[in-house]
Amino acid sequence: MLLSLLLVAASNDDAACAAGRPIRWGIMGSGLISSDFVGALKALPADEAKVIAVGARSLEAAQAFATSLGVPKAHAGYEALANDPDVDVVYVGTVAQTHADCARIALAAGKPVLVEKPLAMNGEEAAELVALAKSRGLFLLEGMWTRFFPAVVKARELLEAGAIGEVVAVSADFGWPADPDGEHGRTVDPVSGGVGMDVAMYPVAHVLLAAGATPPPSG
């Protein structure tokens, strides 16, 4: 479940854990996905997580988000959010094409980061983020929440135990009645990766899980 993912991310903030206080989250982005994420954080026990600040492209947007969801602090810009000393860990919930840049800002500020999927728009960007996080000793996680479902965790255990033998083929599909001219417009927007980065990544991720995520042979 999503709460399991949140706990994984939160457990990596050693300073907050040592201080015996809630993990203080900063939210990059003031859209729907960020709103949903704040709701999920608020479902956790108060001594485990607290949303302390939000940063958006404009102060007005950040303030509106903060007011509607009871977030104490609002920042104009993502750098201000990342450099807020009261923020322990950053969640990136901006539009997909800005995920890598926002994650980079947070890592440069020394903050652990949970990035809404997709982590980046291509493998090169993703590798750069991983390298940066490793070089600074910081936690970095892509928010592929389906991988944390109890059923998926159990499936992974069964696959690793060889319960169904060797996996030689995988079939996967996923979909829903979408409105490409309305709220699901991102699925046909090539700038944000379109349907490949927004929807198709779910079955692809499960195919990789079943296949052991082994890169295909070259040539």
Side-chain angles (χ1 to χ4, degrees):
M1 298 293 284
L2 181 57
L3 296 185
S4 298
L5 186 153
L6 300 180
L7 290 172
V8 169
S11 66
N12 281 269
D13 194 294
D14 296 335
C17 293
R21 58 169 172 74
I23 306 296
R24 300 172 301 180
W25 287 81
I27 309 298
M28 282 190 183
S30 56
L32 178 60
I33 190 66
S34 291
S35 177
D36 290 345
F37 188 78
V38 170
L41 280 173
K42 288 187 173 183
L44 291 173
D47 61 349
E48 291 182 2
K50 179 179 181 179
V51 181
I52 196 72
V54 59
R57 286 177 291 181
S58 72
L59 181 58
E60 292 77 14
Q63 288 175 331
F65 184 95
T67 299
S68 66
L69 294 172
V71 178
K73 304 170 71 173
H75 294 289
Y78 304 131
E79 290 85 357
L81 183 281
N83 287 294
D84 186 332
D86 291 331
V87 170
D88 297 318
V89 58
V90 170
Y91 168 75
V92 176
T94 56
V95 292
Q97 61 267 32
T98 66
H99 285 183
D101 286 340
C102 288
R104 199 174 292 114
I105 289 170
L107 291 170
K111 301 295 171 65
V113 193
L114 174 60
V115 186
E116 181 57 43
K117 60 87 180 168
L119 176 66
M121 297 303 292
N122 55 60
E124 182 178 350
E125 282 186 348
E128 289 175 356
L129 290 178
V130 170
L132 178 58
K134 286 183 176 181
S135 70
R136 299 182 67 87
L138 294 169
F139 177 80
L140 172 68
L141 177 68
E142 180 182 46
M144 180 59 82
W145 64 312
T146 52
R147 292 183 70 89
F148 291 83
F149 286 175
V152 174
V153 173
K154 184 62 177 180
R156 185 185 297 116
E157 293 174 354
L158 293 171
L159 288 168
E160 292 175 350
I164 63 171
E166 180 184 3
V167 176
V168 296
V170 182
S171 176
D173 60 74
F174 175 75
W176 78 95
D179 178 14
D181 296 320
E183 65 174 312
H184 304 124
R186 65 187 185 279
T187 61
V188 293
D189 181 4
V191 176
S192 62
V195 70
M197 288 294 195
D198 194 87
V199 181
M201 64 189 313
Y202 287 115
V204 169
H206 282 79
V207 168
L208 292 175
L209 183 151
T214 302
S218 59

